[in-house]
């Protein structure tokens, strides 16, 4: 495919019309005899600074075309240790954009404050960034949503960004560890009373180098097979023990794709109008990606397999409530174990390592199949589930294609027809090719 580098229309859209959530004082402030030094005006000021920082960050990492070639990241608002961390992160992200043939055009950004908190030290913000674009040469609508948790410290002379963590982003999760999405904005050393100096006294720099090397080595690797995790825990495995006569029926994969495309951003609807949709990102230490995929399977015609268990069951595939469901409904490795082992009732499939392929040869997977992503390091397990929704031509080889995927982790955190190799770039990926469902 001949790629014509078009001039980028870079438009920043600010989501101010919905309003900034009212800032709340920390418990320390509320117990103090003095009123908090900062107020809602300071939240607005911090948000304005955050937009400048985030816009600059995405310009230099995500667009990667001639218009922004040579543009540097402005570190003037960042703590010195945070600057070092972010500059190394940008180096890796720029490599992925360039080497991964992921240059973008018609790029827009929208920022929304999800939550804010005022303390005596500064302002805590959780901000959703929604990006919409086309990959250069590809007319398919693409984009993503990412969440940034940012702390702006009041220095007396202005605000300085002293911490910045992006939950469910491969880079930060690999280097800094996985954090949950609870109401505490900044676990894992991110707090109002600390800054990024902890990075200087840790092995984070070494982990950053390790991650960069992994990405360079594995970005296009077709043999990144991660070890399967063995566990006796109901939350880590799902095994079928029943064997009854069942008929394998076809899934409507186009309906799976359509539902995923229509429900990735906010307030998803039930996949079949019967099983209610609950956003699992509202639960501490939980995210919504596999629940989203389960509802997409319902939209394709899959029937639930309720084994009648109580609590979180290790068998079947069903959802009755947050406390009464199968682990396969919401767990990444659990759904894989159920689908690849199921011969009784509900959806079923086979597992293969993700690879690109010749469109006119044997197609190993289709739109409507599932793709999952591995996270190595301290997590060392399968981390993210998505739906394959489109294809794109890889490099200069005619008819050689890769997958675009769509998924959802939380409100403000999603994948919208993203190139699979640019997600969890340095780790293994697998496809669950759906064979149908048993009834």
């Amino acid at each position: 495919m001949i790629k014509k580098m078009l001039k980028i229309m870079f438009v920043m859209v600010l989501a101010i019309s919905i309003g900034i959530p009212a800032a709340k004082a920390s418990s320390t402030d509320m117990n103090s005899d003095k009123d908090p030094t900062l107020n809602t005006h300071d939240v607005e000021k911090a948000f304005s600074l955050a937009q400048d920082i985030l816009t600059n960050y995405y310009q230099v990492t995500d667009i990667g075309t001639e218009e922004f070639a040579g543009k540097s990241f402005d570190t003037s608002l960042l703590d010195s240790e945070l600057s070092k961390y972010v500059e190394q992160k940008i180096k890796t992200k720029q490599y992925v954009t360039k080497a991964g043939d992921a240059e973008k055009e018609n790029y827009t950004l929208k920022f929304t404050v999800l939550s804010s908190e005022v303390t005596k030290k500064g302002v805590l913000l959780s901000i959703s960034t929604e990006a919409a674009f086309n990959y250069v040469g590809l007319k398919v609508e693409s984009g993503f949503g990412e969440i940034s948790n940012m702390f702006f410290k009041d220095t007396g002379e202005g605000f300085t960004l002293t911490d910045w963590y992006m939950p469910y982003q491969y880079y930060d999760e690999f280097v800094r560890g996985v954090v949950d999405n609870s109401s505490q904005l900044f676990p894992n050393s991110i707090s109002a009373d600390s800054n990024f100096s902890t990075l200087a006294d840790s092995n984070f720099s070494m982990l950053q180098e390790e991650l960069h090397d992994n990405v360079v080595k594995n970005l296009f690797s077709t043999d990144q097979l991660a070890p399967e995790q063995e566990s006796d825990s109901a939350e880590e495995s799902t095994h079928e023990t029943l064997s009854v006569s069942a008929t394998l029926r076809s899934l409507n994969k186009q309906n799976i794709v359509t539902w995923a495309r229509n429900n990735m951003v906010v307030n998803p609807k039930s996949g079949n109008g019967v099983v209610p949709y609950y956003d699992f990102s509202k639960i501490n230490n939980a995210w919504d990606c596999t629940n989203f995929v389960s509802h997409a399977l319902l939209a394709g015609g899959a029937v639930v397999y309720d084994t009648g268990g109580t609590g979180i069951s290790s068998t079947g595939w069903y959802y009755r409530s947050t406390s009464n469901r199968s682990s396969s409904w919401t767990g990444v490795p659990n759904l894989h174990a159920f689908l690849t082992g199921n011969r009784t009732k509900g959806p079923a499939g086979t597992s293969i390592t993700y690879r690109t392929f010749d469109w006119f040869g044997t197609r190993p997977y289709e739109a409507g199949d599932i793709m999952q992503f591995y996270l190595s390091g301290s997590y060392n397990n399968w981390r993210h589930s998505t739906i394959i929704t489109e294809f794109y031509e890889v490099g200069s080889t005619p008819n050689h294609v890769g997958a675009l995927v769509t998924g959802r982790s939380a409100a403000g955190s999603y994948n919208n027809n993203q190139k699979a190799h640019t997600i969890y770039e340095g780790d293994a990926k697998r496809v669950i090719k759906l064979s149908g469902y048993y009834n």
Side-chain angles (χ1 to χ4, degrees), residues 57-58 60-64 86-100 102 104 144 146 166 168-172 211-212 215 219 418 422-425:
Y57 169 79
Y58 286 109
V60 300
T61 62
D62 206 32
I63 299 177
V86 174
E87 287 173 342
Q88 182 68 12
K89 178 179 179 178
I90 286 173
K91 172 185 172 184
T92 301
K93 303 296 282 186
Q94 286 176 330
Y95 174 83
V96 172
T97 298
K98 183 176 180 180
K104 305 167 184 70
F144 60 82
E146 286 187 326
M166 304 175 79
Y168 230 129
Q169 187 196 72
Y170 176 57
Y171 195 98
D172 283 5
L211 176 56
H212 184 79
V215 170
L219 186 60
Q418 280 188 265
T422 65
I423 302 172
Y424 282 52
E425 307 93 330

Side-chain angles (χ1 to χ4, degrees), residues 91-219:
K91 172 185 172 184
T92 301
K93 303 296 282 186
Q94 286 176 330
Y95 174 83
V96 172
T97 298
K98 183 176 180 180
D101 194 24
E103 291 88 354
K104 305 167 184 70
E105 59 190 0
N106 302 322
Y107 198 101
T108 65
L109 288 173
K110 175 182 177 180
F111 302 113
T112 305
V113 175
L114 301 177
S115 63
S116 62
E117 183 174 349
V118 170
T119 78
K120 286 186 176 180
K121 298 290 186 179
V123 178
L124 298 162
L125 294 178
S126 184
I127 300 172
S128 166
T129 299
E130 296 180 75
F133 53 80
N134 303 107
Y135 291 106
V136 172
L138 187 64
K139 299 306 179 183
V140 174
E141 173 191 338
S142 295
F144 60 82
E146 286 187 326
I147 296 173
S148 288
N149 292 336
M150 310 174 82
F151 177 65
F152 287 87
K153 185 176 181 179
D154 183 14
T155 65
E157 299 179 354
F159 283 123
T160 297
L161 182 63
T162 59
D163 217 342
W164 177 7
Y165 184 92
M166 304 175 79
Y168 230 129
Q169 187 196 72
Y170 176 57
Y171 195 98
D172 283 5
E173 286 194 326
F174 184 95
V175 178
R176 303 190 65 181
V178 175
V179 305
D180 65 30
N181 57 321
S182 65
S183 58
Q184 180 186 5
L185 288 181
F186 305 105
N188 283 23
S189 82
I190 307 182
S191 71
D193 297 319
S194 66
N195 56 33
F196 229 68
S197 61
T198 53
L199 289 178
D201 304 322
S202 70
N203 63 348
F204 285 175
S205 178
M206 182 178 66
L207 287 170
Q208 285 189 280
E209 292 292 343
E210 179 184 345
L211 176 56
H212 184 79
D213 291 344
N214 288 348
V215 170
V216 171
K217 178 181 177 181
N218 296 326
L219 186 60

Side-chain angles (χ1 to χ4, degrees), residues 322-335:
T322 56
S323 59
N324 194 333
R325 56 185 167 83
S326 67
S327 57
S328 61
W329 192 268
T330 55
V332 180
N334 317 81
L335 178 63

Side-chain angles (χ1 to χ4, degrees), residues 2-18:
I2 299 175
K3 297 187 174 181
K4 184 179 180 181
M5 304 298 288
L6 302 176
K7 183 178 180 181
I8 298 169
M9 297 186 298
F10 186 83
V11 182
M12 184 175 68
V13 182
L14 304 183
I16 300 177
S17 59
I18 64 171

Side-chain angles (χ1 to χ4, degrees), residues 269-383:
K269 298 179 180 179
S270 167
N272 65 357
V274 177
V275 180
Y277 196 103
Y278 178 82
D279 182 353
F280 274 79
S281 69
K282 296 178 180 179
I283 300 176
N284 290 359
N285 235 1
W287 294 89
D288 199 46
C289 63
T290 306
N291 173 56
F292 179 85
V293 168
S294 287
H295 274 274
L297 295 180
L298 291 180
V303 297
V304 299
Y305 177 22
D306 191 334
T307 52
T310 59
I312 311 301
S313 174
S314 62
T315 62
W317 178 72
Y318 63 94
Y319 171 83
R320 292 188 231 137
S321 69
T322 56
S323 59
N324 194 333
R325 56 185 167 83
S326 67
S327 57
S328 61
W329 192 268
T330 55
V332 180
N334 317 81
L335 178 63
H336 175 271
F338 171 77
L339 291 173
T340 58
N342 180 35
R343 301 293 183 272
T344 306
K345 187 176 181 180
T350 56
S351 181
I352 59 174
T353 301
Y354 169 68
R355 59 183 175 85
T356 58
F357 62 92
D358 184 342
W359 184 254
F360 294 105
T362 300
R363 299 182 187 179
Y365 49 84
E366 306 170 286
D369 287 329
I370 298 167
M371 188 179 299
Q372 294 187 323
F373 300 82
Y374 194 84
L375 175 61
S376 55
S378 60
Y379 192 78
N380 199 33
N381 207 337
W382 294 94
R383 175 66 170 156

